[in-house]
Amino acid sequence: AQTVTQSQPEMSVQEAETVTLSCTYDTSESDYYLFWYKQPPSRQMILVIRQEAYKQQNATENRFSVNFQKAAKSFSLKISDSQLGDAAMYFCAYSLYYGGSQGNLIFGKGTKLSVKP
Amino acid sequence: DAGVTQSPTHLIKTRGQQVTLRCSPKSGHDTVSWYQQALGQGPQFIFQYYEEEERQRGNFPDRFSGHQFPNYSSELNVNALLLGDSALYLCASSPYTGAYEQYFGPGTRLTVT
């Protein structure tokens, strides 16, 4: 069975600094997707960034980038120039992609990120 | 575009009762997935509906059932509520084909007393 592990329950970063959130996963599949979702205190989960396993290039979205190490089954999120609005729970998630459609999301337990002014 | 909407926002029920939660998907999406998020945990997949049928199911008992309507909206039903069913229930929608992101609703907070 696929599993996702986030080993940092809480992280803290100074405003304008850079922080990296860790995620490891376990799977025997070769074709899958990895995601980082953000859940602010208002609860609505929003997608931060997505990585297709078949792509070697690391995904980037503005201040957010990932370090995808397929052999090591590692998928970390780097947030540059941290802003107060980045404070939230961050969830790493995994999904298979088969038969032309996306499978269910498997989430880690999350990392609570605090941003200090 | 209203995005994914869920109702009600909060709900308090007593053990043994039954509850129905509702979800309307984002415009253009035909697939609805339900997740349970216990306090301090990541969401856990309950089931996914497409074409009014349950397509995938997570490790949840038969007390959890669902339905999808022709307009793609969905309901989650939980029978014989237990204290452990207290959680945030999230609905997510997406197109069925293609590797698109799942858009989440704000959730329904269920408290079982």
Side-chain angles (χ1 to χ4, degrees), chain B residues 42-62:
Chain B
Q44 284 196 300
F45 174 71
I46 303 175
F47 42 54
Q48 182 186 81
Y49 274 84
Y50 170 66
E51 290 189 330
E52 303 180 48
E53 289 189 7
E54 184 182 290
R55 297 288 174 161
Q56 299 180 56
R57 188 179 181 91
N59 189 24
F60 278 80
D62 293 344

Side-chain angles (χ1 to χ4, degrees), chain A residues 2 29 32 40 43-44 59 74 81 87 103 107:
Chain A
Q2 294 90 7
E29 304 290 338
Y32 51 87
R43 305 181 310 191
Q44 193 134 9
S74 170
D81 186 25
F107 287 88

Side-chain angles (χ1 to χ4, degrees), chain B residues 10-25:
Chain B
H10 295 90
L11 205 51
I12 300 175
K13 290 287 189 178
T14 304
R15 273 180 302 175
Q17 286 188 318
Q18 179 263 346
V19 68
T20 297
L21 310 182
R22 295 176 176 82
C23 171
S24 291

Side-chain angles (χ1 to χ4, degrees), chain A residues 45-60:
Chain A
M45 193 91 70
I46 55 175
L47 180 67
V48 174
I49 199 164
R50 180 179 89 170
Q51 175 79 43
E52 292 88 343
Y54 66 85
K55 288 186 178 179
Q56 292 187 338
Q57 187 173 6
N58 289 325
T60 62

Side-chain angles (χ1 to χ4, degrees), chain A residues 33 35 37 39 42-47 50 89 91 95 97-110, chain B residues 4 9-10 35 37 40-43 45 48 56 88 90 96-102 104-109:
Chain A
Y33 288 79
F35 307 85
Y37 277 89
Q39 189 177 39
S42 64
R43 305 181 310 191
Q44 193 134 9
M45 193 91 70
I46 55 175
L47 180 67
R50 180 179 89 170
M89 281 293 287
F91 292 97
S95 172
Y97 178 68
Y98 54 83
S101 63
Q102 189 183 94
N104 60 286
L105 290 166
I106 299 170
F107 287 88
K109 290 188 175 182
Chain B
V4 180
T9 305
H10 295 90
Y35 294 83
Q37 186 177 18
Q41 301 292 317
F45 174 71
Q48 182 186 81
Q56 299 180 56
L88 181 67
L90 297 169
Y96 186 71
T97 54
Y100 298 98
E101 72 170 282
Q102 293 188 24
F104 283 83
T108 294
R109 171 71 66 188

Side-chain angles (χ1 to χ4, degrees), chain A:
Chain A
Q2 294 90 7
T3 59
V4 176
T5 302
Q6 293 180 250
S7 58
Q8 306 154 316
E10 295 188 28
M11 291 282 286
S12 180
V13 63
Q14 205 73 32
E15 197 175 5
E17 297 292 306
T18 296
V19 65
T20 298
L21 308 184
S22 301
C23 172
T24 58
Y25 59 95
D26 188 23
T27 184
S28 58
E29 304 290 338
S30 60
D31 195 9
Y32 51 87
Y33 288 79
L34 295 165
F35 307 85
W36 279 98
Y37 277 89
K38 171 185 178 181
Q39 189 177 39
S42 64
R43 305 181 310 191
Q44 193 134 9
M45 193 91 70
I46 55 175
L47 180 67
V48 174
I49 199 164
R50 180 179 89 170
Q51 175 79 43
E52 292 88 343
Y54 66 85
K55 288 186 178 179
Q56 292 187 338
Q57 187 173 6
N58 289 325
T60 62
E61 287 287 343
N62 301 313
R63 299 183 294 107
F64 299 87
S65 61
V66 298
N67 183 4
F68 173 49
Q69 302 289 328
K70 191 171 184 179
K73 296 179 183 176
S74 170
F75 183 61
S76 61
L77 173 70
K78 185 171 83 171
I79 306 174
S80 303
D81 186 25
S82 295
Q83 301 175 0
L84 294 177
D86 294 334
M89 281 293 287
Y90 285 81
F91 292 97
C92 179
Y94 163 102
S95 172
L96 278 176
Y97 178 68
Y98 54 83
S101 63
Q102 189 183 94
N104 60 286
L105 290 166
I106 299 170
F107 287 88
K109 290 188 175 182
T111 296
K112 183 178 181 181
L113 178 66
S114 302
V115 181
K116 297 178 180 178

